[in-house]
């Protein structure tokens, strides 16, 4: 009944049974730890999280039986025009055939957007450009590995008699020259010995090379990921321990806990205590 005081706790309360450790869990074959991890991931990615509340009676009435995780991206919260509820109905599932859920059937929490209190704001919103840059860098690296893993080339050849011959030549080139294991290989082709044209006019290869800007792609990628970590309030050294020392690790962990983890825990706990806990008994968590 008083968070933080074990003498005042009630491990047999319905709230503890659903959301605490060592009990039945929020739903069949679902542990409370798994639900909390899912909930935190949804909150960080989308700025909101939701559980469907299963009860003994239809429409969210009666005793709470189970809590089912809902995918935030598939949930549409419809604001209410007036009254005590922020939202009048929730639509979940496929856009063309959604399931309608009443406010009593959903536990919903969100981080209010500065321009509209009932719209969610993800902490990743401030890092959306850095995420785009990081994603573009990953796609570039993947394409680089798939497309020979060497600097780009321009290959000019004589015009082929038909499209099939051209496709056959490109397949041969790709099969022998493409892939990370073929990096740096020299490719050889034959030309017609009876041709009067110089060899330089039969096939021409120009290496385009890698610019200094492209060479710094890895550095830019790591900088973008570092700014994403900053948006989430995570010290970069906790993800990349290369600059982490014993002298600063303890202070850094303490600051991370106090400035990032505790506020998030307090937010999630407050939402449960105000919305869900009163339906389960006298206890809070």
């Amino acid at each position: 009944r008083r968070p933080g005081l074990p003498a005042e706790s009630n491990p047999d309360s319905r709230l503890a049974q659903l959301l605490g450790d060592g009990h039945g869990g929020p739903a069949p074959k679902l542990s409370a730890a798994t639900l909390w991890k899912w909930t935190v991931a949804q909150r960080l990615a989308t700025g909101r999280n939701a559980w469907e509340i299963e009860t003994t009676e239809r429409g969210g009435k009666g005793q709470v039986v189970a809590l089912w995780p809902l995918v935030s991206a598939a949930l549409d919260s419809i604001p209410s025009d007036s009254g005590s509820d922020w939202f009048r109905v929730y639509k979940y599932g496929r856009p063309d055939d959604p399931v309608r859920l009443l406010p009593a059937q959903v536990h919903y929490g969100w981080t209010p957007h500065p321009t509209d209190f009932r719209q969610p704001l993800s902490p990743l919103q401030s890092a959306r450009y850095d995420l785009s840059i990081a994603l573009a860098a990953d796609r570039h690296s993947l394409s680089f590995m798939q497309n020979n893993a060497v600097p780009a080339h321009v290959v000019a050849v004589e015009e082929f008699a038909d499209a099939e011959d051209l496709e056959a030549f490109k397949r041969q080139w790709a099969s022998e020259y493409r892939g990370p294991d073929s990096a740096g290989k020299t490719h050889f082709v034959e030309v017609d010995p009876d041709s009067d044209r110089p060899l330089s006019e039969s096939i021409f290869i120009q290496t385009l090379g890698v610019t200094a800007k492209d060479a710094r792609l890895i550095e830019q990628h790591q900088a973008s990921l570092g700014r994403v970590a900053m948006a989430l309030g995570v010290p970069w050294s906790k993800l990349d321990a290369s600059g982490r020392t014993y002298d600063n690790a303890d202070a850094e962990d303490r600051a991370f806990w106090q400035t990032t983890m505790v506020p998030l825990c307090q937010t999630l706990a407050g939402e449960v205590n105000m919305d869900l806990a009163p339906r389960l008994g006298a206890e809070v968590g």
Side-chain angles (χ1 to χ4, degrees):
R1 288 182 173 81
R2 297 183 183 180
L5 297 178
E8 297 291 331
S9 66
N10 180 10
D12 296 325
S13 67
R14 187 61 179 144
L15 183 65
Q17 292 174 353
L18 289 172
L19 297 176
D21 295 329
H23 294 283
K29 300 182 180 180
L30 176 63
S31 68
T34 299
L35 179 65
W36 281 119
K37 291 177 182 179
W38 163 274
T39 300
V40 170
Q42 295 287 311
R43 187 62 166 261
L44 295 180
T46 66
R48 59 182 185 159
N49 53 269
W51 305 332
E52 181 180 357
I53 304 174
E54 181 183 354
T55 56
T56 54
E57 301 179 23
R58 302 185 64 177
K61 299 179 181 180
Q63 295 181 348
V64 176
V65 176
L67 303 172
W68 301 92
L70 298 178
V71 180
S72 297
L75 183 67
D76 187 14
S77 54
I78 310 300
S80 59
D81 297 328
S82 61
S84 58
D85 288 324
W86 291 97
F87 305 96
R88 60 182 175 88
V89 71
Y90 298 92
K91 296 181 179 179
Y92 184 72
R94 292 169 41 187
D96 59 333
D97 187 23
V99 176
R100 294 175 61 89
L101 298 172
L102 298 175
Q105 296 176 278
V106 177
H107 168 69
Y108 185 73
W110 79 101
T111 302
H113 196 282
T115 60
D116 188 340
F117 192 87
R118 284 183 284 194
Q119 295 299 318
L121 174 67
S122 168
L124 292 177
Q125 182 71 14
S126 61
R128 59 191 183 279
Y129 295 121
D130 295 306
L131 280 169
S132 299
I133 293 173
L135 178 60
D138 286 334
R139 293 178 61 184
H140 178 276
S141 299
L142 178 61
S143 297
F144 180 74
M145 297 299 293
Q146 291 180 332
N147 298 324
N148 304 339
V150 295
H153 293 77
V154 170
V155 179
V157 297
E158 288 183 322
E159 183 179 0
F160 288 87
D162 51 49
E164 292 183 358
D165 291 342
L166 175 60
E167 291 300 322
F169 174 80
K170 290 193 293 185
R171 286 195 299 270
Q172 178 193 7
W173 183 281
S175 65
E176 297 185 18
Y177 193 66
R178 179 178 177 181
D181 294 333
S182 299
K185 281 186 177 180
T186 302
H187 188 79
F188 299 93
V189 295
E190 293 182 293
V191 297
D192 185 0
D194 298 329
S195 174
D196 296 331
R197 301 179 65 180
L199 178 62
S200 61
E201 297 181 9
S202 299
I203 181 170
F204 173 73
I205 302 177
Q206 175 65 53
T207 300
L208 301 180
V210 178
T211 65
K213 183 178 180 181
D214 291 334
R216 298 186 60 186
L217 183 63
I218 296 178
E219 180 181 345
Q220 174 63 55
H221 188 219
Q222 183 170 354
S224 298
L225 294 178
R227 286 190 287 269
V228 172
M230 289 172 58
L232 294 173
V234 180
W236 180 247
S237 62
K238 289 186 69 66
L239 307 177
D240 179 9
S242 58
R244 192 172 174 87
T245 65
Y246 286 106
D247 293 334
N248 63 19
D250 184 63
E252 188 178 66
D253 286 341
R254 188 163 55 251
F256 171 61
W257 173 255
Q258 293 175 347
T259 61
T260 300
M261 296 301 297
V262 169
L264 178 60
C265 291
Q266 291 174 337
T267 297
L268 296 176
E271 292 170 351
V272 169
N273 289 335
M274 295 183 66
D275 178 43
L276 182 62
R279 303 180 57 178
L280 301 176
E283 293 81 10
V284 293

